[in-house]
């Protein structure tokens, strides 16, 4: 279910939130994910001294119970997507939900009309089948290349793998104690959440492209430092921690 949630969450936020706040709110979804990862690092640190065979079970239990409770509580308060309601002809229900999520003085008529127009355009595009993707126009081709390219570059950097294997990287960098390893992973998680919050604050005001280029440059420099550290065979553990952060 996590995979479905990660895919649906930003779409749901975009359909419920006002246009001027969508970028920031979608970013908060990413903040929540990384905050959960940080809580996992903290749980690892807290339960590190439990008996072998018990510690990892307790860690997994913490990652199972609390998110499940939060999801159940959230589902009781989440409104239906206005876009979905309008697509089913339930315009009055959609307007009532939009009234809750938009500022009080907002004229919802144009908002509803815009959603209806988008739905009609999507139906028209859907009637064409796979043709727009298999034989796209120059504009659509550029959009496809950019979208796929950004997603590909996001994964090919290996940044997520570096985070997953951060304890191993830190151990090879000279940090041997379990407490030190787990404390460093907490530090990495704190930095990750902090920088995502900073980017969320500037996303709508400075635009997506500058933030994307800035973060890409930062990832490149960090990976270069990690490669340099292990390439020269140094024992400067601070360099590994700095690069991972």
């Amino acid at each position: 279910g996590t995979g479905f949630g990660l895919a649906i969450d930003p779409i749901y936020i975009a359909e419920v939130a006002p246009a001027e706040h969508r970028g920031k709110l979608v970013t908060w979804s990413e903040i929540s994910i990384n905050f959960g990862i940080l809580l996992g690092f903290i749980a690892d640190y807290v339960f590190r001294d439990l008996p072998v065979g018990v510690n990892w079970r307790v860690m997994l239990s913490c990652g199972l119970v609390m998110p499940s409770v939060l999801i159940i509580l959230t589902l009781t308060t989440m409104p239906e997507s206005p876009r979905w309601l309008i697509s089913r002809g339930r315009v009055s229900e959609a307007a009532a939900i939009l009234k809750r999520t938009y500022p009080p003085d907002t004229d919802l008529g144009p908002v509803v009309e815009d959603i209806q127009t988008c739905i009609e355009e999507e139906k028209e595009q859907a009637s064409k089948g796979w043709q727009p993707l298999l034989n796209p126009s120059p504009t659509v081709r550029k959009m496809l290349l950019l979208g796929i390219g950004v997603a590909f570059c996001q994964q090919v950097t290996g940044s997520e793998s570096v985070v997953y294997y951060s304890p191993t990287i830190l151990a090879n960098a000279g940090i041997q104690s379990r407490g030190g390893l787990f404390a460093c992973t907490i530090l990495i998680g704190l930095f990750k959440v902090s920088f995502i919050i900073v980017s969320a604050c500037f996303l709508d005001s400075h635009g997506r492209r500058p933030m994307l280029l800035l973060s890409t440059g930062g990832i490149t420099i960090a990976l270069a430092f990690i490669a340099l550290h292990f390439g020269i065979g140094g024992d400067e553990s601070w360099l590994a921690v700095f690069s991972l952060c």
Side-chain angles (χ1 to χ4, degrees), residues 92-165:
S92 58
E93 295 179 47
I97 293 174
L98 291 171
K99 190 175 182 179
R100 293 167 52 189
T101 58
Y102 276 69
D105 56 345
T106 303
D107 183 7
L108 297 178
V111 177
V112 173
E113 291 177 2
D114 184 55
I115 295 175
Q116 290 173 326
T117 301
C118 291
I119 292 173
E120 292 301 322
E121 291 177 352
E122 288 181 358
K123 289 181 179 178
E124 182 180 351
Q125 291 294 328
S127 64
K128 299 179 181 179
W130 290 90
Q131 189 272 336
L133 291 178
L134 299 178
N135 187 24
S137 64
T139 302
V140 175
R141 185 181 297 111
K142 185 177 181 180
M143 293 169 61
L144 285 172
L145 290 175
L146 287 174
I148 296 173
V150 169
F152 175 78
C153 292
Q154 182 182 17
Q155 299 301 320
V156 80
T157 59
S159 58
E160 295 299 329
S161 299
V162 170
V163 174
Y164 295 150
Y165 288 97

Side-chain angles (χ1 to χ4, degrees), residues 61-120:
S61 299
C62 291
L64 174 65
V65 175
M66 187 169 68
S68 300
V69 172
L70 289 175
I71 290 173
I72 293 172
L73 293 176
T74 302
L75 289 175
T76 61
T77 60
M78 288 175 60
E80 184 55 82
S81 165
R83 187 185 185 90
W84 184 85
L85 291 173
I86 292 175
S87 68
R88 297 299 186 274
R90 297 156 63 178
V91 179
S92 58
E93 295 179 47
I97 293 174
L98 291 171
K99 190 175 182 179
R100 293 167 52 189
T101 58
Y102 276 69
D105 56 345
T106 303
D107 183 7
L108 297 178
V111 177
V112 173
E113 291 177 2
D114 184 55
I115 295 175
Q116 290 173 326
T117 301
C118 291
I119 292 173
E120 292 301 322

